[in-house]
Amino acid sequence: SSENSSPPTMQKPPITLSSLTKSSGTESQSVLTWTTPTVASETGGSAITGYNLQYQLSGTWTDLIADSLVTTYTHTGLSSGTEYAYRYRAKNVHGWSSYTTSSSFTACSSPSKPSAITSIVAVNDGDIQITWANPTNIGGTSLTITSYELQVKHDNGVYADASSYCQEGSLTLRQCTITKANLVTNYVLAVGDLVIAKVRAKNSKNLWSEWSDANTQGARIPDVPAKMATPVVTDAGLKLRITWTEPNFNYAPITAYKISIWNNDAGPAAWAIDTTNCDGTNAQVISNKYCEVPIATPLIATYGYTAGNNIKVKVEAQNGLGWGTASDDCTTGAVITKVPEKPANVPTKVAAKTSGTTIVIDITALTGANAGNSAITQYNVKYVKDSDAAVLMTTQGLSTEITLTGATLGSSYTFTYAGVNVHGEGTYSDASASIKAVELPAAPTALSCAYDSTVNIKFSWTAATDGSGTLSANKIYIKDINGNYVLADTLGAVTEKIIPMTTLAAAPYSLSTVGETVYFKLQASNELEYGPLTAATSCGGSVTMKTVPSTPTIAPTITSSSETSISVSYTAITSTGGSAITAYVLQKATGNGEFENLADSMLTSQTLSSGIVSGQTYKFRYAAKNALGTSGNSPEVTIKAIIVPSTPSAPAVSTSDGSVIVDWTAPYSGGTGISITQYQILFYIGGSWVEKSFCDGTNMNAISETKCTFLMNQLTLSYGADIKAKIKAKNEKGWSIESSENSPPPIMQTPPITLSSLARGTGTSESQIHLTWTTPIVAAETGGSFVTGYNLQYQLSGTWTNAFQDALTNTYTVTGLSSGQDYQFKYRAKNIHGWGSFSSAQTFTACQAPSKPATVVFTVVASNANVELSWSAPSSIGGSGLTISAYQIVIKNNQALFQSLTSTLCSEGNFNLRKCTLTQAQLTSTFGLTTGKKVYAQVRAQNSKSMWSEYSDVNTQEVKIAAVPLKPNVAPYKTAGTSTSITLNWNTLPAYRNGGVTIDKYKLEISTDGSSYSTIYDAMGTSYQKTGLTTGTKYYFRYFSHNCLGYSASSSPVITYYAADVPATILTAAMSMAYAGSKTKDVEMSWTAPATQGSAISEYKVKVKISTGDFMDVTQECEEYEESLTELKCTIPMKNLWASPFLLTTPGVPIEFKVQAKNGIGWGTLSSAKSGVNLQTKPQKPTSTPTNDAASTTFEQIKVDWTAISASPANGDSAVTQYVLSVGSLLNVYQGSATTHTMTSGLTPGHDYQFRYAAENKYGVGEFSDAITIQCPTTSPTQPSAPTTVRDGENIKVCWNAPSSTGGASIVEYQVEFLDYSDSTYKSHSTNCVEPDINSRCCSIPETTVKSFFNLATNNEVKARITAINEDGHESNPSDPTTSGVRVNQQFPLLTYLFMQKLSIQKK
């Protein structure tokens, strides 16, 4: 046949599969993935329905996936570093494909993330060396790190590869050195930038680690040192110290300094380095940052400095990158010093101190450059005598005044000196002027004088002896008008002098008196000084003074003047100076202009009218002439072309605040530009107008303000006088006419005028005097102004003392006085005008009124009702030496006024005996007091200083004018009775109702009908029993009171009683008590009714004995109170008796009660106490605490026992039903009848627990006992988890976790043991890991030690285990040993540990 069309395509099992890949993994697992084929040529034309994955370790293939449609699988439980072969196949509906070619993968991971770069330091010339450490985990056993990649952070923040820039070192050696140039060029890092790098590692399985963290510290890009600051040069004795500050070394340490000194003799680039004194490579110089150059060095020819020059230096620094910029030149600071210069000045003689054989010279101190720019330590002085050799004076020091003693008279001396400093002695000065050793010359002799022509005097003398020297000068002294000798001239070695008489007549001699004798003295000098003065010599009577006319002493007189003319006259001169007057010269000056001569004539008056200008000032003076010349000018007279001021208007006078104000208006001044120069203010005082300095019209303020203000008290006017004033004005011309007086005038006020007398105040005592006075208010007393203060004074023996100086008070107490002493007092007052006069002195005694007497005591005489008054002397008489001189008694009369009692009224006694008896009639007739009125009296005492005490207090003792008693206002009352008798009592009549006299008896009356009464009692008593009465009969009773004046009315109201009695007493035999109620927790008290005694019982009262021993009424506490009256019982809950007010708390004590009955007559007698049951309570607080059964107590349970409570009173007198146990705040952890309990839950070893217990009876749970604290015993810590081991450099580091439980006590020790492979036992090392840190829980032991001590062979795993020990000595079980730990002689055993930690973290 033909073939089938559209033939189907052949399908087969899967044909082509992708290779297996390992997508990730660790040292114990690998994650395998593959791709699902989708192309038909791969799938065999049918969808994949499953995969079979196998692995091979050593020859045998093992299924990992038998048949599952997944494309990834995680193979776990692998051995670190071991290579595993894998293959897989796929299936579809047609079956399984062939296995893929096997792929091998190692059980490993990427290396662990390297730690941050360990070191980045600058080396060489700025290169940066970067060092890092191996990762702690290489990724798997037997793997190695094959490569590192290093990156450095670019300036733009991006990390870039740096591996290719390593100039030194090797990535495999974990070190790389990069040049500064590469860092600057390729990473754009600037000086000071921190070099930041990170690194990652690749292992032999081509797995890269994460990048390490970037470093945060390390090297920065270095540079040469910065420019240095200008150095400082200071003086260090004979050296100059050059000091500098370390510059910014730009991240490379300073290695050297270069100290350059400028050479003054060389060209502009002549810097020299003093390597001898300033070696900048010297470590000490580098450290000190200074060097010292001997001062001599800069002075040598090498540098060319001279003294006083500032040394010029600069400094630069070097580090590993080279030299930095040199500092600016130092041109200031210490200067070059040397020996002192030659002094510019020569020594000079101190003339005042040089004489005879002593020569004193002065030298000029050397400073600055003259001193060689160094401090002078002393001066050396030499002298030359005549032409002898120079002699160095022995006295040397810093004094600039030099003394030579023992000089030879007549010899000449010259002196030179030099300064000395640290460098030595300087050059000596030039020699001083020659100084001759001489004595003073003698005085000239043979003095005489004669006229030389008509106007001169010639003085002559003989030369003095020279004193071993050469006479050089003479001085002539003339005696002046005051008797003093004035130097007239200093002459050469001459013997005469001519002086014009006009010179002698002028200052300073002023010998202007004609005929006056001229006296003179002389004095000669030589090289030393001037000798002594001659004695005074008179020119004698033949040679006397002639002078020009005397200077007129009187100014010209202005005889008249106006605004247009001035008349001047002057006095002829009589003192002609010994020569006739030839003319007078009158001079005039306008304003401040120059004087001009008006005329030379013998006239002595002139009138000037031409050129006189109103208001213009003119001056006039004159002089006289004779043949010898013109006299001095007379005093000037100044006049203005003016008139006197116009008459002022009347002033205005006012007063304010103690001042007087006088106001006025300035009048016309009298001329153009003329001012009033003065006012005169006149006051009308004592009948005349007077001027007062306190209103000074010359005062500039008064002139300018036309006002004068002064204190009113400056006027010597009396109070109320008119203050009147007038004004006059004055200018340069003179005074105006007086103004009229002011109107109306103000009234004069003065200091206070009249004061009241001082009065003794109430505060006066034996040690103080209290004074008061009245403040004056009337103007005539106050002086017209309010009083503002007082001054009080007192005296004892002649001296007045201020009690107070100035205070506004009208009372004052002077303290510290002597009792009974007399003192004088005066006072004064002040107001705004000042102090008034003192008041007249008054005498007061330092005493006080007698003390207030005690209240008058009244006694009513019972027999006659007379009233007796008595009183006591006051406790204080008022002062030493005083006596009581009188008493005064006052009695309140019927007008309610106190009226004086005279002693003559006393029927008995007298005032001196402090006793007085008054009859009823006297009280009625004298004081108008009627029957029943109360008698009130007061007494006061007077002492010998006539001072009365206060009246005593009015008596509170109630005394009345006697009468018969008032009727009793309370009826008699029955206190006892039977069916045939009644006992009555009545109240004692109150004193206020006794009529004022003592009650002496009472009368009792009885009636059966209320109208007819008979007396049954009349005596002094308040009780009576009436017997023989008829039972049931009603009786009426009343009573009366009686005093010496008679009976009162009958009592009211009248009382009635029946002949009956209260119920009989209930006998205890008729009483009973029992427990009752629910659970017998109540107390039931019952009784039998008593005999009624003729009246039905209406009520019962039940009383129970309480804690105080008293019986308290509990009737209202009875349950079913109403029923208790008929059922004759009372039931009370027992618990009520525990509370207030009963407070019965002692169990086992009998409960007692009493009962009484009441009928129409009243309450019967309370029964005797009856008991029948005891008080019951909750159990009492146990006296003992629970006890710990230590033998049965473990860390898992605590057993406590307690004492059973069975006896009273501990059990509350009621059987205990169960016990309650509490632990801490947990109540009722146990309830039951047992006396022991074991607690097994909620316990923590080492914790404290507080146990207490209480008993419970039918009333409830009693008070808990005191607590006992029991500690849950500690136990062994729980087994620690297996420790881990990691390689830490050359050591094996063992770490472990704390046990989950410490066993109740702190862990104080861990015991670390290692497996000894020789005998398979665990042992501790003797020194390593013996006392590991309990906080870090890690310790290290050298790998070599582990291997040798515990007998490990290569590749043996280090196995350790841990035992925890707590502070109570409990040891845990040893932990499981380490698994997957470090193997000896393997490089990276830590990877397994890290992998396990990662799994643990993921699990958590």
Side-chain angles (χ1 to χ4, degrees):
S1 64
S2 59
E3 61 184 34
N4 56 306
S5 60
S6 302
T9 302
M10 179 63 182
Q11 295 180 345
K12 299 175 64 177
I15 304 167
T16 304
L17 298 177
S18 65
S19 299
L20 284 169
T21 60
K22 179 181 176 181
S23 60
S24 63
T26 67
E27 295 180 60
S28 61
Q29 66 180 28
S30 294
V31 179
L32 305 173
T33 60
W34 54 93
T35 303
T36 298
T38 56
V39 180
S41 60
E42 297 173 346
T43 64
S46 180
I48 301 298
T49 60
Y51 295 101
N52 168 219
L53 175 66
Q54 293 183 330
Y55 80 97
Q56 180 189 56
L57 180 59
S58 56
T60 301
W61 288 95
T62 303
D63 281 343
L64 292 174
I65 299 174
D67 185 359
S68 178
L69 190 61
V70 295
T71 57
T72 182
Y73 181 78
T74 300
H75 187 192
T76 61
L78 307 182
S79 296
S80 175
T82 301
E83 187 174 76
Y84 294 84
Y86 297 91
R87 66 182 184 181
Y88 78 106
R89 60 180 177 169
K91 78 170 182 176
N92 58 18
V93 295
H94 303 291
W96 290 99
S97 70
S98 301
Y99 282 100
T100 61
T101 302
S102 65
S103 300
S104 294
F105 302 108
T106 303
C108 62
S109 63
S110 299
S112 60
K113 176 181 176 180
S115 58
I117 301 295
T118 57
S119 172
I120 298 183
V121 296
V123 297
N124 302 329
D125 296 334
D127 296 346
I128 301 299
Q129 184 183 81
I130 303 172
T131 306
W132 60 92
N134 274 324
T136 57
N137 187 347
I138 298 174
T141 304
S142 302
L143 304 188
T144 58
I145 296 297
T146 59
S147 178
Y148 288 96
E149 184 176 359
L150 178 68
Q151 289 186 341
V152 173
K153 191 175 183 180
H154 194 279
D155 179 68
N156 61 13
V158 176
Y159 284 89
D161 181 64
S163 304
S164 60
Y165 298 118
C166 295
Q167 302 296 312
E168 297 178 8
S170 166
L171 292 178
T172 57
L173 296 176
R174 301 184 302 283
Q175 189 178 86
C176 174
T177 300
I178 305 176
T179 64
K180 173 185 173 183
N182 275 328
L183 291 170
V184 171
T185 302
N186 298 307
Y187 297 94
V188 197
L189 297 181
V191 173
D193 285 348
L194 179 68
V195 178
I196 300 174
K198 61 183 181 179
V199 67
R200 66 173 181 169
K202 185 172 72 173
N203 61 20
S204 51
K205 291 299 182 179
N206 293 320
L207 295 175
W208 285 98
S209 70
E210 292 181 65
W211 287 99
S212 70
D213 293 331
N215 57 290
T216 57
Q217 296 179 335
R220 297 179 181 272
I221 301 297
D223 201 357
V224 296
K227 179 180 177 179
M228 292 189 64
T230 304
V232 176
V233 180
T234 55
D235 189 350
L238 294 176
K239 295 182 179 181
L240 294 179
R241 175 174 289 185
I242 304 169
T243 306
W244 57 89
T245 302
E246 183 178 74
N248 180 352
F249 50 78
N250 282 329
Y251 309 101
I254 300 298
T255 57
Y257 289 103
K258 184 188 297 180
I259 303 95
S260 302
I261 302 175
W262 181 257
N263 188 336
N264 258 352
D265 288 340
W271 288 99
I273 299 174
D274 183 355
T275 56
T276 302
N277 300 295
C278 285
D279 182 4
T281 64
N282 182 278
Q284 192 64 40
V285 172
I286 295 172
S287 172
N288 291 342
K289 293 182 282 297
Y290 71 82
C291 64
E292 292 179 339
V293 180
I295 289 178
T297 300
L299 293 173
I300 61 176
T302 305
Y303 300 107
Y305 287 99
T306 59
N309 289 155
N310 289 105
I311 183 172
K312 181 177 178 182
V313 298
K314 65 180 180 180
V315 182
E316 57 189 306
Q318 182 188 48
N319 62 13
L321 283 79
W323 288 99
T325 303
S327 67
D328 293 334
D329 303 343
C330 169
T331 57
T332 60
V335 298
I336 305 298
T337 59
K338 64 173 187 176
V339 296
E341 296 283 351
K342 175 182 178 181
N345 298 319
V346 299
T348 58
K349 180 177 75 171
V350 181
K353 298 181 179 180
T354 297
S355 178
T357 59
T358 299
I359 299 175
V360 180
I361 62 169
D362 184 60
I363 60 176
T364 302
L366 301 180
T367 59
N370 291 330
N373 294 294
S374 180
I376 295 294
T377 57
Q378 69 177 40
Y379 293 101
N380 290 344
V381 181
K382 295 179 179 180
Y383 68 86
V384 175
K385 173 185 174 185
D386 296 331
S387 57
D388 296 344
V391 176
L392 177 65
M393 296 182 67
T394 58
T395 302
Q396 299 174 347
L398 289 173
S399 174
T400 56
E401 186 175 278
I402 312 299
T403 300
L404 173 65
T405 58
T408 303
L409 289 175
S411 294
S412 295
Y413 293 82
T414 57
F415 295 85
T416 61
Y417 78 101
V420 180
N421 63 13
V422 293
H423 298 287
E425 182 183 73
T427 303
Y428 277 83
S429 67
D430 292 335
S432 68
S434 177
I435 301 171
K436 194 172 184 179
V438 297
E439 294 179 321
L440 292 174
T445 58
L447 280 65
S448 64
C449 51
Y451 285 121
D452 180 67
S453 78
T454 58
V455 294
N456 301 326
I457 297 177
K458 181 170 73 173
F459 299 89
S460 303
W461 60 89
T462 300
T465 57
D466 59 14
S468 300
T470 301
L471 293 176
S472 57
N474 289 284
K475 288 183 178 179
I476 183 168
Y477 298 86
I478 305 296
K479 184 178 180 181
D480 67 10
I481 191 65
N482 296 317
N484 299 318
Y485 282 86
V486 178
L487 176 64
D489 200 359
T490 299
L491 311 170
V494 298
T495 56
E496 66 177 30
K497 169 65 178 177
I498 297 174
I499 302 177
M501 281 187 284
T502 54
T503 300
L504 297 175
Y509 315 105
S510 302
L511 301 177
S512 57
T513 302
V514 176
E516 184 171 6
T517 300
V518 178
Y519 293 89
F520 73 103
K521 294 181 180 181
L522 286 170
Q523 185 180 28
S525 71
N526 60 14
E527 295 90 338
L528 176 61
E529 186 53 85
Y530 282 91
L533 284 166
T534 65
T537 300
S538 168
C539 287
S542 60
V543 179
T544 59
M545 285 296 296
K546 295 179 181 180
T547 66
V548 297
S550 298
T551 300
T553 59
I554 301 174
T557 301
I558 307 299
T559 55
S560 65
S561 67
S562 68
E563 294 183 75
T564 57
S565 69
I566 300 171
S567 294
V568 184
S569 66
Y570 37 92
T571 303
I573 300 301
T574 57
S575 298
T576 64
S579 179
I581 299 299
T582 58
Y584 291 101
V585 180
L586 179 64
Q587 298 177 331
K588 180 189 79 170
T590 301
N592 292 321
E594 297 292 330
F595 279 93
E596 57 179 330
N597 291 336
L598 295 180
D600 282 357
S601 71
M602 292 301 291
L603 297 176
T604 57
S605 65
Q606 296 189 48
T607 297
L608 306 175
S609 57
S610 175
I612 300 301
V613 178
S614 175
Q616 180 63 55
T617 300
Y618 297 95
K619 298 178 185 176
F620 295 93
R621 68 184 182 187
Y622 76 103
K625 287 184 178 181
N626 66 7
L628 295 176
T630 303
S631 71
N633 293 313
S634 71
E636 300 172 4
V637 62
T638 301
I639 187 70
K640 285 189 178 179
I642 57 175
I643 60 175
V644 297
S646 61
T647 302
S649 58
V653 181
S654 60
T655 62
S656 175
D657 294 331
S659 296
V660 177
I661 303 99
V662 182
D663 269 312
W664 62 89
T665 302
Y668 174 65
S669 63
T672 303
I674 301 306
S675 299
I676 302 295
T677 60
Q678 184 178 347
Y679 289 98
Q680 188 178 48
I681 301 93
L682 302 172
F683 297 93
Y684 189 72
I685 299 174
S688 61
W689 292 91
V690 295
E691 187 176 8
K692 291 293 182 180
S693 60
F694 49 74
C695 192
D696 183 7
T698 65
N699 183 279
M700 294 306 298
N701 289 333
I703 294 170
S704 62
E705 297 176 6
T706 62
K707 177 190 289 187
C708 168
T709 301
F710 56 90
L711 296 175
M712 189 180 293
N713 61 14
Q714 294 176 280
L715 287 172
T716 55
L717 292 175
S718 300
Y719 169 74
D722 291 340
I723 302 176
K724 299 178 182 180
K726 293 181 180 181
I727 302 296
K728 289 202 306 183
K730 182 181 181 183
N731 63 10
E732 299 167 55
K733 178 73 173 177
W735 288 100
S736 70
I737 298 172
E738 290 180 359
S739 71
S740 58
E741 65 186 50
N742 58 297
S743 178
I747 300 302
M748 178 65 184
Q749 297 178 346
T750 66
I753 303 165
T754 305
L755 299 177
S756 66
S757 296
L758 294 167
R760 179 188 299 271
T762 58
T764 300
S765 69
E766 296 179 56
S767 61
Q768 62 184 32
I769 295 178
H770 175 209
L771 298 176
T772 63
W773 53 92
T774 304
T775 300
I777 55 174
V778 180
E781 299 173 343
T782 64
S785 179
F786 290 114
V787 171
T788 60
Y790 295 98
N791 169 213
L792 176 67
Q793 294 184 341
Y794 69 95
Q795 75 166 356
L796 177 60
S797 57
T799 301
W800 288 95
T801 303
N802 280 328
F804 66 84
Q805 179 65 36
D806 186 359
L808 187 59
T809 177
N810 56 6
T811 178
Y812 188 77
T813 301
V814 181
T815 60
L817 306 183
S818 299
S819 176
Q821 182 66 53
D822 290 337
Y823 294 86
Q824 285 190 310
F825 292 86
K826 63 181 181 180
Y827 79 110
R828 59 178 178 169
K830 75 168 185 177
N831 58 17
I832 57 175
H833 304 295
W835 289 101
S837 300
F838 277 99
S839 65
S840 298
Q842 293 175 254
T843 300
F844 296 94
T845 304
C847 63
Q848 58 192 17
S851 59
K852 179 178 177 181
T855 306
V856 175
V857 176
F858 287 88
T859 303
V860 178
V861 180
S863 61
N864 55 20
N866 288 345
V867 177
E868 181 184 275
L869 291 73
S870 63
W871 60 93
S872 302
S875 59
S876 170
I877 298 173
S880 297
L882 306 187
T883 59
I884 296 296
S885 59
Y887 290 99
Q888 184 177 20
I889 306 293
V890 291
I891 296 177
K892 185 181 285 187
N893 61 24
N894 61 339
Q895 303 297 319
L897 301 175
F898 280 96
Q899 178 180 330
S900 182
L901 169 67
T902 61
S903 62
T904 57
L905 290 176
C906 300
S907 62
E908 294 180 15
N910 59 61
F911 284 4
N912 290 334
L913 297 176
R914 300 189 298 280
K915 183 178 292 186
C916 178
T917 301
L918 300 175
T919 66
Q920 297 276 328
Q922 288 172 324
L923 289 170
T924 300
S925 62
T926 304
F927 300 99
L929 300 177
T930 57
T931 298
K933 292 292 184 180
K934 297 178 181 178
V935 182
Y936 294 104
Q938 291 177 289
V939 64
R940 66 172 179 167
Q942 184 187 54
N943 62 20
S944 52
K945 288 295 182 179
S946 300
M947 300 180 70
W948 284 100
S949 71
E950 292 181 67
Y951 276 105
S952 66
D953 294 334
V954 176
N955 52 292
T956 56
Q957 177 190 5
E958 192 168 279
V959 179
K960 297 181 180 178
I961 301 299
V964 294
L966 296 175
K967 69 176 182 179
N969 58 359
V970 177
Y973 54 92
K974 180 181 177 182
T975 57
T978 67
S979 59
T980 60
S981 66
I982 296 175
T983 300
L984 293 174
N985 280 60
W986 52 92
N987 294 334
T988 301
L989 199 66
Y992 69 88
R993 299 184 68 83
N994 67 7
V997 186
T998 304
I999 299 296
D1000 54 14
K1001 63 180 178 177
Y1002 294 95
K1003 181 171 69 174
L1004 180 65
E1005 295 180 339
I1006 189 169
S1007 172
T1008 57
D1009 58 8
S1011 59
S1012 297
Y1013 286 89
S1014 61
T1015 300
I1016 59 175
Y1017 179 80
D1018 189 6
M1020 188 60 192
T1022 57
S1023 177
Y1024 179 72
Q1025 182 183 36
K1026 176 62 177 173
T1027 60
L1029 301 178
T1030 303
T1031 301
T1033 300
K1034 181 178 181 181
Y1035 292 94
Y1036 298 82
F1037 296 92
R1038 67 183 182 183
Y1039 80 105
F1040 306 80
S1041 59
H1042 181 272
N1043 64 15
C1044 65
L1045 299 178
Y1047 283 104
S1048 69
S1050 68
S1051 62
S1052 176
V1054 174
I1055 194 68
T1056 60
Y1057 291 107
Y1058 287 87
D1061 203 355
V1062 297
T1065 302
I1066 300 172
L1067 300 176
T1068 54
M1071 299 164 59
S1072 64
M1073 179 183 287
Y1075 296 117
S1078 175
K1079 298 184 180 180
T1080 64
K1081 292 195 291 184
D1082 299 337
V1083 177
E1084 181 182 273
M1085 297 163 282
S1086 60
W1087 58 92
T1088 302
T1092 63
Q1093 297 286 83
S1095 180
I1097 292 177
S1098 60
E1099 188 178 349
Y1100 288 98
K1101 186 183 293 182
V1102 181
K1103 292 187 176 183
V1104 172
K1105 188 175 183 180
I1106 64 175
S1107 61
T1108 62
D1110 300 321
F1111 281 83
M1112 175 175 285
D1113 186 359
V1114 298
T1115 310
Q1116 298 296 326
E1117 300 289 330
C1118 298
E1119 295 181 350
E1120 300 176 348
Y1121 169 67
E1122 297 297 334
E1123 289 77 356
S1124 69
L1125 298 179
T1126 56
E1127 297 182 3
L1128 305 182
K1129 67 178 181 180
C1130 173
T1131 302
I1132 299 177
M1134 182 74 76
K1135 66 179 181 180
N1136 289 7
L1137 299 177
W1138 308 337
S1140 179
F1142 308 104
L1143 301 175
L1144 299 178
T1145 58
T1146 305
V1149 174
I1151 300 172
E1152 298 180 67
F1153 79 103
K1154 296 180 179 181
V1155 185
Q1156 66 183 140
K1158 180 181 180 183
N1159 61 12
I1161 302 303
W1163 285 100
T1165 304
L1166 193 63
S1167 71
S1168 298
K1170 177 69 174 182
S1171 62
V1173 298
N1174 293 338
L1175 180 72
Q1176 295 182 333
T1177 65
K1178 295 178 182 179
Q1180 293 181 328
K1181 176 181 177 180
T1183 57
S1184 61
T1185 62
T1187 57
N1188 179 24
D1189 185 349
S1192 301
T1193 296
T1194 68
F1195 71 94
E1196 296 177 316
Q1197 66 178 31
I1198 297 176
K1199 184 178 181 182
V1200 293
D1201 301 319
W1202 57 89
T1203 304
I1205 298 174
S1206 58
S1208 182
N1211 64 358
D1213 206 52
S1214 177
V1216 171
T1217 57
Q1218 66 175 3
Y1219 296 97
V1220 178
L1221 182 69
S1222 69
V1223 180
S1225 60
L1226 298 176
L1227 300 176
N1228 306 339
V1229 297
Y1230 169 77
Q1231 288 179 294
S1233 58
T1235 57
T1236 183
H1237 176 70
T1238 301
M1239 181 176 178
T1240 58
S1241 61
L1243 296 176
T1244 301
H1247 282 214
D1248 289 339
Y1249 296 91
Q1250 290 188 319
F1251 292 85
R1252 54 189 186 140
Y1253 80 103
E1256 183 178 356
N1257 61 15
K1258 64 184 178 182
Y1259 297 104
V1261 178
E1263 185 179 354
F1264 276 88
S1265 69
D1266 292 334
I1268 181 175
T1269 300
I1270 302 174
Q1271 185 183 64
C1272 183
T1274 58
T1275 185
S1276 299
T1278 55
Q1279 180 185 30
S1281 59
T1284 61
T1285 56
V1286 295
R1287 179 172 279 101
D1288 183 13
E1290 300 298 327
N1291 295 328
I1292 303 298
K1293 186 174 183 179
V1294 183
C1295 295
W1296 58 93
N1297 293 322
S1300 59
S1301 170
T1302 64
S1306 300
I1307 299 297
V1308 296
E1309 182 182 352
Y1310 287 101
Q1311 181 176 323
V1312 183
E1313 296 176 304
F1314 296 91
L1315 177 63
D1316 187 331
Y1317 275 77
S1318 66
D1319 57 8
S1320 298
T1321 61
Y1322 281 88
K1323 300 175 182 177
S1324 296
H1325 190 262
S1326 58
T1327 57
N1328 296 108
C1329 286
V1330 175
E1331 293 182 357
D1333 185 72
I1334 63 171
N1335 295 314
S1336 65
R1337 295 184 299 280
C1338 287
C1339 69
S1340 296
I1341 184 170
E1343 183 174 357
T1344 56
T1345 301
V1346 173
K1347 185 176 179 181
S1348 61
F1349 191 83
F1350 298 106
N1351 303 299
L1352 272 70
T1354 299
N1355 208 35
N1356 278 157
E1357 182 179 0
V1358 178
K1359 289 187 175 292
R1361 69 179 187 184
I1362 306 297
T1363 300
I1365 304 170
N1366 62 24
E1367 61 183 345
D1368 286 346
H1370 297 298
E1371 295 186 8
S1372 70
N1373 291 325
S1375 69
D1376 292 334
T1378 306
T1379 59
S1380 301
V1382 172
R1383 295 179 182 275
V1384 294
N1385 294 344
Q1386 286 197 340
Q1387 193 172 8
F1388 298 108
L1390 183 61
L1391 187 60
T1392 300
Y1393 168 71
L1394 294 176
F1395 173 69
M1396 295 304 294
Q1397 288 293 94
K1398 181 174 181 182
L1399 285 181
S1400 176
I1401 293 170
Q1402 289 174 340
K1403 181 177 180 181
K1404 289 177 181 178

